[in-house]
Amino acid sequence: FAAKRDESRTLLVATSGDTGPACVAATETVNSNHVRVFCCYPKGMVSNFQRAQMRRSKRALIASFEGGGDDMDAVLKKIGSDSTLKASGVNSYNIARPLAQCVHFIWLSLQFFNNTEPNNIKIVIPTGAMGNLVAAILAKKIGAPFSKIL
């Protein structure tokens, strides 16, 4: 969309693991001068592998900071709310992310639905920032056939 409008956009990411490398990889694949990434992570809280995944980017600005993931979310929300910066968040506080993830839970539950009673389908979510949990709750509320979210 940014390229069609000939505008630049900045994606803001605070990560404690998977979101940062995924966003950086996606924007490397797109290879557009219209999309920039600012990705930050809490010092000492991502693996060496995840840090290397982010740092190999030639297009993203990657920075570490003192504190936890929630410490940076507030700063990124404030930056993202400034419409003159043309920036948007990629983290789970942006409703677009849990809405997109919701599809995964619907698809997953439908794979089991034909062979399993809905009351026997339980979704287990290991989570940090709770975006996956929000997505699972949304999927259940709109009718995904699983009985529990653990």
Side-chain angles (χ1 to χ4, degrees):
F1 296 117
K4 284 184 179 183
R5 295 181 187 138
D6 196 31
E7 296 176 348
S8 292
R9 297 284 181 204
T10 301
L11 302 177
L12 306 171
V13 187
T15 187
S16 57
D18 297 333
T19 304
C23 181
V24 169
T27 55
E28 291 285 322
T29 303
V30 171
N31 194 23
S32 171
N33 291 328
H34 293 91
V35 179
R36 296 179 302 263
V37 176
F38 172 63
C39 182
C40 54
Y41 62 91
K43 193 178 290 183
M45 295 183 74
V46 298
S47 72
N48 290 336
F49 180 72
Q50 291 165 325
R51 187 172 40 259
Q53 285 178 305
M54 292 183 283
R55 294 224 175 246
R56 72 174 172 230
S57 170
K58 293 175 178 46
R59 303 176 48 75
L61 174 61
I62 312 297
S64 63
F65 63 92
E66 298 291 334
D70 292 338
D71 296 323
M72 201 64 210
D73 281 348
V75 174
L76 292 183
K77 282 185 205 177
K78 186 173 182 173
I79 293 169
S81 67
D82 184 340
S83 62
T84 63
L85 296 177
K86 298 189 181 196
S88 60
V90 177
N91 294 79
S92 51
Y93 57 77
N94 181 334
I95 190 63
R97 181 171 166 197
L99 285 174
Q101 289 172 310
C102 180
V103 174
H104 299 172
F105 291 103
I106 293 169
W107 179 87
L108 177 68
S109 62
L110 291 174
Q111 299 309 301
F112 290 101
F113 185 66
N114 291 332
N115 300 320
T116 308
E117 289 294 318
N119 288 339
N120 293 331
I121 300 172
K122 296 173 181 71
I123 303 293
V124 179
I125 303 170
T127 185
M130 302 301 231
N132 275 325
L133 179 60
V134 171
I137 291 169
L138 287 171
K140 184 163 175 49
K141 288 206 177 272
I142 62 172
F146 49 87
S147 62
K148 284 190 176 182
I149 301 169
L150 307 172

